[in-house]
Amino acid sequence: MKLPGRELLLDIIKGTVLTLVLFLAYVTFPVFGLLPGIFSSLPGIYYYLKRGAVAGVMIIIPTTIVLLFAGGDFSVPLLYLLQSGISALLLPIFYLQGKGTARAIASAVGCNFLLIVALAITYGAWSGVDLHDLIVKGIETSSNQAIAIYEKQGVKGEEIKLLTEGIQQVSQLTGKLFPAILLIGLGSIACLNMMIIFRLSGKMLPNLPKSDDFNSFRNPDLLVWVVITAGFAMLLPYPEVSRVALNLLLVTGFIYFLQGLAVLLSFFQRIAVPAFARFFFWLILAVQPYLMLGIAVLGIFDIWGDFRTPKQKNL
């Protein structure tokens, strides 16, 4: 006879170990650990949905404690909590309310982002440190390190000059767009984790509420006014207003990219595009940012075109 308490304890241990393995790989191997880091909240989400809130909380608490002792200070566990731990709790909470997958992800990511902003403002006010300048300096330091690596590899002359200019431009743009990049990063991580959860549903999570069909994803029509307003705001001669507008454009552009992607996938499904062609599409999308821009534009025009609705033929 299996005791329910024993099964719950075993699941908590398994979830904690998996979370630690994924997150420690992320902080130990900066490049190769990126993928494990993206899914470090997955065990917490899975066992929360399988066993309830107790399992989710009891995975996050020991993980945080172990990371605190392993890292020697609170920076590593804080990074875990802000990137993975909070979303591991919020995503199941909002999803189980039955308000839809998109709304659950948006609510969880929004709360996570606001908490990060609140903590950053509180820390800045308490320590007297300008966090924006600190972030910009950190980005500049990383850029200078990248340039130094290329110089050591023998890149010289006009090539290193062009490379330096390009890296510096990207560094400056990243400093301006850091809030939007953070929000999009949190949203992307949440989407990928929930996608895996839905793949695990069925036999592993038989009681999981049915997810929305991504191919039918559609943003509220009024969201387009955010794009229009932000576009006009960028024309104003005020740098701070332009920076806020640019961040809004990037975030809304990402959201409309998702809608455009839903339109394309709906089209692929309708005409039965073969698997190899879909793989080729994802491969191009991963290396071609201009394609992402085109898909975002498609998402915006879907407001008026309604491309997923079959057109009726006049007889």
Side-chain angles (χ1 to χ4, degrees):
M1 179 178 177
K2 293 183 178 180
L3 299 176
R6 183 167 176 261
E7 291 182 354
L8 175 61
L9 179 60
L10 288 174
D11 282 344
I12 290 172
I13 293 173
K14 286 188 287 186
T16 303
V17 171
L18 282 171
T19 303
L20 284 169
V21 169
L22 292 170
F23 194 78
L24 287 173
Y26 167 65
V27 296
T28 305
F29 308 104
V31 177
F32 298 103
L34 182 61
L35 187 61
I38 289 174
F39 295 106
S40 57
S41 59
L42 185 61
I45 298 171
Y46 172 75
Y47 285 110
Y48 187 117
L49 294 171
K50 180 182 179 181
R51 293 293 185 184
V54 173
V57 173
M58 292 308 296
I59 287 172
I60 293 170
I61 291 175
T63 299
T64 305
I65 294 173
V66 172
L67 290 175
L68 178 61
F69 284 100
D73 56 44
F74 203 69
S75 60
V76 175
L78 182 62
L79 176 63
Y80 161 71
L81 288 173
L82 295 180
Q83 177 178 304
S84 305
I86 295 171
S87 64
L89 287 179
L90 293 180
L91 283 169
I93 289 173
F94 285 111
Y95 183 71
L96 292 175
Q97 291 178 358
K99 295 181 180 180
T101 308
R103 190 173 296 182
I105 292 175
S107 300
V109 170
C111 291
N112 197 354
F113 178 76
L114 290 176
L115 178 60
I116 293 174
V117 171
L119 288 174
I121 293 174
T122 302
Y123 175 77
W126 173 72
S127 63
V129 175
D130 190 330
L131 289 178
H132 179 261
D133 288 344
L134 188 64
I135 292 170
V136 170
K137 288 179 181 178
I139 295 172
E140 289 177 351
T141 300
S142 299
S143 300
N144 293 333
Q145 290 175 349
I147 293 170
I149 291 173
Y150 282 109
E151 288 178 340
K152 288 181 179 179
Q153 291 179 347
V155 181
K156 298 179 180 179
E158 190 66 23
E159 291 183 0
I160 192 64
K161 181 180 178 181
L162 292 174
L163 188 62
T164 300
E165 291 177 354
I167 292 176
Q168 288 175 347
Q169 289 175 0
V170 171
S171 173
Q172 293 172 2
L173 188 61
T174 303
K176 292 180 181 179
L177 295 176
F178 183 77
I181 293 171
L182 173 61
L183 185 55
I184 291 172
L186 291 173
S188 301
I189 291 172
C191 289
L192 290 171
N193 277 276
M194 290 306 291
M195 182 180 70
I196 298 298
I197 288 294
F198 297 141
R199 292 283 184 180
L200 297 176
S201 62
K203 292 184 178 180
M204 299 183 71
L205 292 171
N207 299 322
L208 186 69
K210 187 178 180 181
S211 66
D212 301 335
D213 182 13
F214 176 72
N215 292 0
S216 63
F217 172 74
R218 184 182 180 90
N219 292 303
D221 290 344
L222 293 178
L223 185 65
V224 72
W225 287 104
V226 177
V227 178
I228 296 171
T229 303
F232 280 109
M234 288 189 61
L235 302 177
L236 298 175
Y238 304 105
E240 292 300 322
V241 174
S242 298
R243 190 172 69 182
V244 172
L246 188 59
N247 278 270
L248 282 174
L249 276 177
L250 185 60
V251 172
T252 51
F254 173 74
I255 297 173
Y256 276 112
F257 163 76
L258 295 178
Q259 181 167 337
L261 192 60
V263 172
L264 280 178
L265 294 180
S266 176
F267 177 73
F268 288 171
Q269 187 178 48
R270 189 185 308 169
I271 65 172
V273 174
F276 77 89
R278 297 191 184 206
F279 173 78
F280 188 65
F281 165 76
W282 290 113
L283 185 62
I284 295 176
L285 183 61
V287 299
Q288 182 49 264
Y290 291 109
L291 180 58
M292 298 179 66
L293 179 61
I295 294 174
V297 172
L298 175 65
I300 294 175
F301 280 97
D302 184 50
I303 301 172
W304 301 281
D306 198 11
F307 301 122
R308 284 166 286 190
T309 301
K311 301 297 183 291
Q312 299 293 332
K313 295 182 179 180
N314 296 324
L315 299 178

